[in-house]
Amino acid sequence: MSLDSMPPENFELLLSWLGPDRDKAGEKYEQIRRNLLDYFRRRDAPDPISLTDEVLLRVTRKVNTVAENFVGDPSAYFMGVARRVLAESWRQQVETELPENIPVFSNSEAGEREELMLRSLERCWARLSTSEQEILYRYCVETPPLKLADSRELLAREINLSLNALRVMAHRLKRRLRDCIDRLMGIKT
Amino acid sequence: MRDFKEQHQTIKKFLLGQLSDDKANEIEARIFAEADFAEEVQIVESELATEYLEGNLIAEERIVFAAKYFKNKANRTTLEYEQLFRQFIRSKSEGNLSRHGQKSESSDSASSDIEINAPPVPLKPERARFGSWFRASFRNRALVYSTIMAAFLLFAVVVWYLAGQRAGQPSNPLEAQRQAIEADLAHLNAAGTFGEVLLTVNLQPAERDRGAMARVAIDNTSQDALIEFRLSLTEASNQQYRVLFLDDRHHELFSISKLTAQATPGGPEIRFVVPARYLIPGDYQINLGVTNKTGGNDDVNSYAVRVVTKE
């Protein structure tokens, strides 16, 4: 059974387990999903997206029995399932021989992908407001004679943010660009 | 907004896989439990990638980072994005940021998920479109490839140290590494005929290719496979040839000597093989010279090739 074919009532139950406010529960679900992807990626798992889906599927399938008795933050339960899924995937990988013909991209395909990523980035960049573009630019690019650290401090003062808040803001803008690129390229994240 | 400055080093070690299992598990649990902390880890990871690409990591960190982030596709994609973004944003001048004017075209309303909204900073007017020249500058991924190459060399140095310094080795570890590579290449190319090669790369002299660069895609599982290079020549000499590989900063990497030209239906060629493990992703220049009577080398041609990681 895939996540898409999961009964909607299970998913609704999952959301209500994550929080009473549906919107906030949805955000929490997305946060958990991103954490799972990062978890598997940082653990060098072979296919972080599939493993993430597997965790979400397992939790959604069992949510009606788990939610009642689980005490604490549901994220911890996802984490536990993720560890189990990862361990299983390592075992499976050891047992599975590599296929003889592993599909690979040719040079031209790699070039096309690079080109596509670039075009997507240009489109996504255009979706930022000009002030967001300027903030990101000034946060990331050194403009002599100022050193990068100095121009960041100046920028933070200009827009009345602490340096750390500016840093988080720049990260979120970059994250938006990345998500936008993934969407345009049809990458499931 | 919470500041996790004091935990940066721990997060960095976590990302580089330098924490004990218990500590790493603690960090992972905290990532799931605290959204702010999870975001902080993402930020530190992004900063780490930038530092790597800028060549600002200390040697040990560079080696560990390269080993970790080139190991799997998902991490490589993360790094690829960082590199793409870095090149992209640097290609812009401050007065030429937006291609589409003042207002966001944000059809997907993604900005709503940003809690800190960008204040209205006054912007300079748009000056010019930049698409084509940007694409050209993007292709010049000089810095990242040279840093990758440097990381590879540093990694090799550490391996060499760990293996123990044997008597008779040159005092400079980089030189020792280069000698080891060249000895391996000399051995592989001594017979003039090669075993099974993974792929063959036909290269034209750079000036005849008008700046075009051949691409070689290598996957990480083929590190021991042989790549055969065929350098096209306009005329052949009976003397011995030498090829010298340089990175995109013109640092010499390794050379292969005592090569001879071969007659082929397409004209004379210099053929040699290089194991994929010596060709980490990056741009390379290959200088072909002919050994002169004094034992030196006279330049003949120069060739260019880009090595990329196969998806």
Side-chain angles (χ1 to χ4, degrees):
Chain A
M1 182 183 278
S2 72
L3 264 179
D4 295 335
S5 56
M6 183 63 66
E9 56 268 25
N10 278 47
F11 194 71
E12 286 300 324
L13 195 56
L14 179 73
L15 285 182
S16 61
W17 186 38
L18 294 178
D21 180 312
R22 201 173 187 284
D23 288 344
K24 285 194 176 151
E27 281 172 23
K28 179 142 189 171
Y29 178 84
E30 280 307 315
Q31 172 74 26
I32 289 170
R33 182 175 162 72
R34 184 168 297 286
N35 287 340
L36 288 169
L37 281 167
D38 284 343
Y39 170 77
F40 289 121
R41 177 176 59 77
R42 290 177 189 140
R43 286 279 179 161
D44 299 323
D47 186 354
I49 293 174
S50 301
L51 296 181
T52 296
D53 283 350
E54 178 62 24
V55 173
L56 295 173
L57 179 68
R58 286 190 193 186
V59 177
T60 310
R61 201 158 41 199
K62 283 193 157 186
V63 68
N64 46 3
T65 53
V66 172
E68 279 177 30
N69 306 315
F70 192 82
V71 180
D73 185 353
S75 303
Y77 185 76
F78 283 86
M79 172 87 231
V81 177
R83 286 192 172 135
R84 207 158 40 238
V85 166
L86 182 64
E88 286 171 19
S89 94
W90 290 137
R91 276 199 298 275
Q92 206 173 359
Q93 204 179 25
V94 170
E95 289 162 8
T96 311
E97 284 186 12
L98 283 173
E100 281 182 14
N101 299 313
I102 300 168
V104 289
F105 285 121
S106 67
N107 287 345
S108 63
E109 282 171 321
E112 280 168 19
R113 186 170 175 277
E114 186 178 286
E115 200 69 29
L116 181 61
M117 265 184 100
L118 178 60
R119 278 203 302 274
S120 303
L121 179 52
E122 287 189 272
R123 284 180 62 191
C124 296
W125 176 258
R127 290 179 184 187
L128 295 182
S129 71
T130 43
S131 54
E132 287 169 336
Q133 290 177 355
E134 176 148 354
I135 287 166
L136 201 47
Y137 175 83
R138 289 177 61 188
Y139 186 83
C140 296
V141 181
E142 193 168 87
T143 47
L146 286 180
K147 292 279 178 201
L148 194 55
D150 297 330
S151 33
R152 283 176 179 174
E153 258 182 54
L154 184 66
L155 175 62
R157 275 205 300 276
E158 278 177 31
I159 61 178
N160 205 21
L161 286 179
S162 70
L163 256 180
N164 189 52
L166 174 64
R167 175 171 166 265
V168 173
M169 181 189 205
H171 169 73
R172 289 179 185 175
L173 289 170
K174 269 178 79 177
R175 183 77 242 175
R176 246 169 71 190
L177 286 174
R178 170 87 192 257
D179 291 344
C180 171
I181 290 173
D182 289 345
R183 274 197 300 276
L184 289 179
M185 292 182 67
I187 298 170
K188 188 182 172 192
T189 54
Chain B
M1 184 160 309
R2 292 172 64 188
D3 193 334
F4 298 92
K5 206 171 178 181
E6 288 174 4
Q7 288 143 66
H8 278 188
Q9 277 310 312
T10 309
I11 295 172
K12 214 167 168 180
K13 283 184 177 174
F14 163 73
L15 292 167
L16 293 173
Q18 294 175 321
L19 289 183
S20 65
D21 281 351
D22 285 351
K23 287 270 180 199
N25 288 340
E26 270 177 36
I27 297 274
E28 273 161 0
R30 206 172 156 196
I31 287 171
F32 275 81
E34 295 175 45
D36 281 358
F37 186 73
E39 186 170 43
E40 180 66 22
V41 174
Q42 287 172 5
I43 295 173
V44 174
E45 186 170 41
S46 172
E47 289 170 346
L48 198 57
T50 304
E51 283 182 71
Y52 175 79
L53 295 170
E54 301 271 356
N56 291 337
L57 291 180
I58 60 168
E60 186 194 353
E61 288 173 346
R62 290 182 61 74
I63 292 160
V64 176
F65 183 93
K68 185 160 181 65
Y69 280 78
F70 287 101
K71 196 170 169 184
N72 70 44
K73 186 186 163 191
N75 276 335
R76 281 199 304 276
T77 305
T78 298
L79 202 56
E80 194 181 21
Y81 170 74
E82 290 293 340
Q83 169 63 8
L84 177 81
F85 173 76
R86 192 168 152 275
Q87 294 281 349
F88 176 85
I89 199 142
R90 283 181 169 197
S91 73
K92 301 191 168 301
S93 63
E94 209 175 339
N96 184 22
L97 293 175
S98 175
R99 215 163 64 122
H100 294 282
Q102 295 285 318
K103 196 65 191 161
S104 162
E105 67 169 58
S106 189
S107 58
D108 49 11
S109 307
S111 58
S112 61
D113 58 17
I114 295 216
E115 289 161 14
I116 311 165
N117 290 316
V121 178
L123 292 162
K124 298 177 182 108
E126 182 178 0
R127 285 181 192 153
R129 289 177 184 269
F130 52 81
S132 55
W133 68 260
F134 169 71
R135 262 189 283 279
S137 67
F138 175 71
R139 287 199 180 95
N140 182 14
R141 306 166 82 173
L143 191 55
V144 65
Y145 292 139
S146 61
T147 54
I148 290 166
M149 178 56 73
F152 170 76
L153 288 172
L154 283 166
F155 180 71
V157 169
V158 168
V159 170
W160 181 79
Y161 269 126
L162 291 176
Q165 297 182 40
R166 288 170 298 188
Q169 291 279 12
S171 56
N172 180 342
L174 285 177
E175 186 57 32
Q177 178 60 31
R178 178 173 168 172
Q179 284 182 16
I181 293 172
E182 289 180 344
D184 186 25
L185 293 171
H187 172 72
L188 285 168
N189 288 284
T193 54
F194 321 115
E196 190 178 344
V197 296
L198 177 70
L199 55 95
T200 303
V201 186
N202 295 297
L203 296 178
Q204 297 291 325
E207 67 269 23
R208 265 198 274 158
D209 256 11
R210 296 170 187 242
M213 192 179 280
R215 296 171 66 101
V216 182
I218 302 172
D219 70 64
N220 282 353
T221 57
S222 314
Q223 294 300 297
D224 292 328
L226 297 178
I227 314 294
E228 182 180 352
F229 288 87
R230 295 179 178 181
L231 309 185
S232 165
L233 288 170
T234 44
E235 55 181 329
S237 154
N238 288 331
Q239 289 168 281
Q240 289 187 324
Y241 288 84
R242 172 182 183 258
V243 290
L244 171 65
F245 276 69
L246 302 104
D247 66 16
D248 51 8
R249 284 182 169 182
H250 291 267
H251 295 141
E252 292 189 8
L253 300 173
F254 51 79
S255 64
I256 309 168
S257 301
K258 297 182 180 173
L259 299 170
T260 52
Q262 296 183 28
T264 74
E269 286 179 346
I270 300 293
R271 294 181 177 182
F272 57 93
V273 289
V274 177
R277 62 178 174 274
Y278 298 141
L279 296 169
I280 60 172
D283 290 351
Y284 295 87
Q285 182 180 319
I286 305 170
N287 287 349
L288 178 67
V290 65
T291 310
N292 59 32
K293 288 173 185 169
T294 61
N297 285 286
D298 297 329
D299 289 343
V300 176
N301 279 326
S302 162
Y303 305 80
V305 64
R306 172 171 293 173
V307 176
V308 296
T309 305
K310 197 177 272 182
E311 294 291 326

